[in-house]
Amino acid sequence: MHRSASRLTRVLACAAVPVILTVAGCSSDSGKESGSNGEKKSGSSSSAKPNPKSSKTLEKPAFSALPDPCKALATATIDTLVPEAKDKAGAAPKSNDLATRASCAWNGLDEDGLKGSQYRWLSLSYFRYDSQATLGDASKRAEEQYNKEVEAAKTAEGAQGPKAEAVGEVGDQATSVIYAVKKDNNDHYNTTVVARTQNVVITLDYNGAGLEGASAPDHAKLLQDAISAAKEAVTSVGAANKAPAEQPQSPQPQ
């Protein structure tokens, strides 16, 4: 009788073990989630560390718009650089977008009878950049494009003896690149001026040639004219971003 009672006590004790474990499992903190390894994870997002890159404040772009490139240079400038231009209003591609990039070009042939003809070609392009978290500040992006434009001018196809020089007093930075190109047995002298003003890059290409026995153009004069036009193109960027002048208030009726 004593042995039977002892055995019954052991059976009841073993049967109670899973019940106790089940209760203990249900009594865990319901306010926290458990991970796959059994560790508790906090339900608060405030413990997450901020990403230092995402918290960087980007600069506000200095310029938000571009000038119309076909109107960025004065008519007198076009007359000087491209005498007898086919279209003084210039030719612009349909892809022009004054928010980001735009260009315009002029060309003309100034004929002088038996003395031959002088050919001139002028192109003006604008590139504008915004600040982006993944790409950087607007002015930094513009500086990268500026360097690409200078390198492209120095490595232009067929360029003979390209020479690059820094140009002062044209935007925040500017470089001129001059070289000669042989086309149809004629020497074409090319001048490229690349300038940057804040978040806008300006590329001005200007070339000329003497045709039908005409003397070759003065390369120093081409360069001087190109730099003057580039200065004008930079000024047009600032003018395109000026706030409209306040209009005078009309007197109120008494």
Side-chain angles (χ1 to χ4, degrees):
M1 183 68 177
H2 177 73
R3 293 177 57 189
S4 297
S6 177
R7 181 181 178 185
L8 178 59
T9 300
R10 289 197 301 272
V11 171
L12 292 175
C14 291
V17 171
V19 175
I20 295 171
L21 293 175
T22 301
V23 173
C26 294
S27 64
S28 63
D29 186 358
S30 60
K32 298 180 180 179
E33 298 177 356
S34 297
S36 58
N37 58 358
E39 295 180 357
K40 295 179 181 179
K41 298 190 297 182
S42 173
S44 173
S45 60
S46 61
S47 61
K49 294 183 178 180
N51 186 342
K53 291 185 178 180
S54 62
S55 61
K56 179 182 179 295
T57 301
L58 295 172
E59 72 174 16
K60 181 180 178 181
F63 302 118
S64 59
L66 295 174
D68 182 338
C70 292
K71 298 178 181 178
L73 301 178
T75 301
T77 301
I78 301 301
D79 288 340
T80 299
L81 271 65
V82 191
E84 302 301 325
K86 289 182 179 180
D87 185 357
K88 292 185 179 182
K94 294 182 179 179
S95 60
N96 270 0
D97 179 2
L98 298 186
T100 55
R101 60 177 57 196
S103 63
C104 191
W106 300 260
N107 70 83
L109 189 64
D110 187 7
E111 299 177 317
D112 192 15
L114 296 177
K115 294 183 179 180
S117 304
Q118 289 290 334
Y119 173 77
R120 297 291 185 272
W121 181 83
L122 173 67
S123 174
L124 175 62
S125 300
Y126 286 103
F127 302 86
R128 192 192 70 83
Y129 292 89
D130 285 316
S131 295
Q132 294 186 13
T134 56
L135 299 175
D137 290 329
S139 60
K140 183 63 176 178
R141 296 180 64 202
E143 187 174 358
E144 292 172 354
Q145 180 64 30
Y146 167 85
N147 292 329
K148 289 179 181 179
E149 292 290 307
V150 172
E151 189 61 28
K154 291 163 60 177
T155 58
E157 184 178 358
Q160 300 174 356
K163 182 180 179 181
E165 288 186 347
V167 178
E169 300 181 356
V170 181
D172 295 310
Q173 57 184 150
T175 299
S176 68
V177 181
I178 59 175
Y179 55 86
V181 176
K182 198 80 170 180
K183 293 182 181 179
D184 302 325
N185 295 321
N186 292 303
D187 289 323
H188 288 248
Y189 293 97
N190 195 90
T191 299
T192 298
V193 178
V194 183
R196 181 183 68 84
T197 174
Q198 299 287 351
N199 60 314
V200 174
V201 176
I202 300 99
T203 300
L204 186 141
D205 287 306
Y206 183 46
N207 71 62
L211 308 179
E212 301 173 349
S215 58
D218 184 344
H219 209 165
K221 180 67 164 57
L222 291 179
L223 176 58
Q224 180 183 353
D225 288 343
I227 291 175
S228 295
K231 288 182 179 180
E232 192 174 334
V234 169
T235 301
S236 292
V237 176
N241 287 270
K242 279 186 178 180
E246 293 185 1
Q247 298 297 323
Q249 296 293 328
S250 300
Q252 297 296 323
Q254 298 296 327

